Amino acid sequence: MKAVRERRESKEIVVRALHTTQGHDLDVYAFFIKGADIVKVADISRVDRDESDALKGFQRPEIRTHVKGIIDYLSQGDVLFPNAIILAMSPQVRFTASRGTRPTGDEGLAQAGTLTIPVNEAGERVAWIVDGQQRSLALAQIADKGIAVPVVAFISDSLELQRQQFILVNKAKPLPSRLINELLPETNGIQLPKDLSARKVPSEICNFLNRDVNSPFFKLIKRPSDRTNSEAIITDTAVITMIRNSMNNPLGALAPFKASLRDGPDLQSMYRLLVNFWNAVRAVFPDAWGLDPRQSRLMHSAGIEAMGVLMDRIYGRFSGTQGSYEAVKKELERVASSCRWTEGNWETLGVAWNEIQSTPRDIKKLQDALVRAYTTSSAS
């Protein structure tokens, strides 16, 4: 009686699907399903150990910040979501092929029909998420429950096969951060998650600095797409980080030009300020400018980021107005005698010039040394 009652209470989801076979006659289906329904038909097989210490499952634990980022993106309104969720499905699902003649030119790679998927209780569902755990959890939490999500599913009860597919679809390295940074300025007209949106403006300004002949950084910045520029010596990540830090600091030199509720960011004002400051840097430290980071720590990631903090301090003295080139140059000259970019030892740090590395600790120490030298000189 219990079994009969459970069958009666069981529900089903029916979708149009394409069927094909791969490998050793492994059934594979492609279809669309409501985003909120994925977690109704599929369980997450989290990696764990059973009582005998045997490994079970294959998924990593939920990453809350990742899920929240996806939720924020999907909640923006009309968004594009073409990323397919990959499921392993039990043979309990049923496929019924559509009748009719094959269209002219059809090579017969797939057969159309309907796929019936039982909806069971958690822990007893007929599918397991192989790829798309965080996306599936996010889709279940957004207000728009009807967003159509592409799914590719293969039929197998084998945990070994499920793990194999999980490893294969996740083994490829994610896009390098520098490549993402370079691509972001070209993503006009589409909505981006908050974490990517925050990287777009700094990367766009970095492009300007590298391409403008009037910029002190002209052709000096390494970008992933520019592999033939032998003059490039500064990593774009350092420049982007310097810009982003100044924008995000409420007292930063670039903060006043960030986007307001009505207007977008004032890129031109940001760019003029950066060119003004770094032209002054080049003038004050001519022997250290334009050299390989191994020869000059001013061109090193640590030097670029630390000087960005000093930039914020210097412009803070101008009461919110943009200082002239000469005014900025005069302020920079206050710290020139304390800097050891190409030789000697940093007296306040007790380390040689080339011992400064691109680590959070060294960058922070260099920032503090520059600010301390500037504050001391200003007070005298």
Side-chain angles (χ1 to χ4, degrees):
M1 291 294 294
K2 181 179 179 182
V4 173
R5 184 169 61 253
E6 287 180 349
R7 281 199 301 270
R8 288 176 179 174
E9 292 174 352
S10 176
K11 298 180 180 179
E12 297 177 335
I13 292 177
V14 180
V15 295
R16 294 184 181 274
L18 291 175
H19 167 257
T20 190
T21 57
Q22 293 182 343
H24 298 290
D25 294 326
L26 190 69
D27 292 311
V28 181
Y29 299 95
F31 55 92
F32 283 86
I33 192 172
K34 293 179 181 178
D37 286 345
I38 293 175
V39 294
K40 294 180 180 179
V41 301
D43 284 321
I44 296 174
S45 182
R46 294 200 191 332
V47 65
D48 198 0
R49 296 275 176 180
D50 61 19
E51 294 179 357
S52 63
D53 202 40
L55 184 67
K56 61 180 183 178
F58 49 86
Q59 281 280 9
R60 60 189 175 185
E62 174 184 344
I63 304 175
R64 293 183 180 179
T65 54
H66 188 188
V67 173
K68 185 180 184 303
I70 300 173
I71 292 173
D72 291 342
Y73 169 67
L74 293 173
S75 299
Q76 292 178 9
D78 295 329
V79 295
L80 180 66
F81 195 88
N83 310 80
I85 306 295
I86 299 179
L87 301 180
M89 282 189 162
S90 162
Q92 294 179 49
V93 301
R94 304 190 308 275
F95 180 76
T96 304
S98 299
R99 297 180 179 180
T101 58
R102 182 183 301 174
T104 303
D106 183 7
E107 296 182 358
L109 295 177
Q111 186 177 24
T114 57
L115 187 68
T116 302
I117 310 169
V119 178
N120 299 332
E121 296 295 325
E124 300 179 356
R125 292 177 178 136
V126 297
W128 300 267
I129 299 174
V130 174
D131 184 51
Q133 171 190 352
Q134 319 298 340
R135 283 170 282 157
S136 299
L137 292 171
L139 286 162
Q141 298 178 46
I142 62 174
D144 182 6
K145 304 296 184 182
I147 182 172
V149 175
V151 174
V152 174
F154 60 92
I155 305 301
S156 176
D157 274 330
S158 168
L159 180 59
E160 288 73 20
L161 179 59
Q162 294 167 21
R163 283 180 179 161
Q164 178 192 62
Q165 293 303 308
F166 176 74
I167 292 171
L168 289 175
V169 299
N170 288 283
K171 75 171 184 176
K173 293 182 179 179
L175 285 175
S177 179
R178 291 182 59 222
L179 178 56
I180 293 176
N181 284 336
E182 186 168 8
L183 292 173
L184 283 173
E186 311 302 326
T187 58
N188 295 321
I190 68 172
Q191 294 175 310
L192 295 169
K194 289 182 179 179
D195 60 332
L196 292 182
S197 295
R199 293 160 60 179
K200 181 176 180 178
V201 169
S203 185
E204 193 165 358
I205 296 174
C206 181
N207 277 345
F208 295 155
L209 291 170
N210 198 38
R211 297 172 181 172
D212 184 5
V213 294
N214 297 314
S215 164
F217 291 103
F218 179 58
K219 290 188 176 181
L220 292 181
I221 301 174
K222 295 179 181 178
R223 304 236 72 176
S225 65
D226 193 4
R227 302 177 182 177
T228 61
N229 182 14
S230 59
E231 300 177 48
I233 55 174
I234 305 170
T235 176
D236 54 355
T237 305
V239 177
I240 290 170
T241 300
M242 176 268 296
I243 296 171
R244 186 173 65 243
N245 288 345
S246 183
M247 289 176 59
N248 293 339
N249 180 358
L251 301 178
L254 301 179
F257 308 112
K258 283 181 64 175
S260 64
L261 293 177
R262 295 181 179 178
D263 304 318
D266 187 349
L267 270 65
Q268 290 187 351
S269 293
M270 291 188 195
Y271 182 73
R272 286 195 297 266
L273 186 148
L274 288 165
V275 169
N276 191 57
F277 175 78
W278 287 99
N279 270 330
V281 172
R282 180 174 60 178
V284 173
F285 303 105
D287 296 335
W289 189 264
L291 300 179
D292 187 280
R294 291 170 293 184
Q295 300 172 305
S296 169
R297 281 305 192 256
L298 179 59
M299 301 286 97
H300 194 272
S301 296
I304 296 295
E305 292 185 37
M307 287 297 287
V309 173
L310 183 60
M311 174 183 72
D312 293 340
R313 287 300 185 100
I314 288 176
Y315 275 90
R317 291 179 62 88
F318 298 130
S319 302
T321 60
Q322 183 173 339
S324 66
Y325 165 79
E326 290 298 333
V328 173
K329 182 171 176 287
K330 183 177 180 181
E331 296 299 308
L332 284 168
E333 289 170 346
R334 296 175 181 271
V335 302
S337 61
S338 301
C339 295
R340 302 291 183 267
W341 299 121
T342 60
E343 60 181 359
N345 296 314
W346 287 85
E347 297 176 3
T348 57
L349 299 179
V351 298
W353 71 275
N354 56 357
E355 291 180 3
I356 299 292
Q357 302 300 322
S358 185
T359 63
R361 180 181 179 182
D362 278 12
I363 293 172
K364 181 64 167 60
K365 288 167 60 177
L366 186 55
Q367 291 173 356
D368 292 343
L370 289 172
V371 171
R372 191 182 307 116
Y374 181 63
T375 302
T376 302
S377 67
S378 299
S380 59

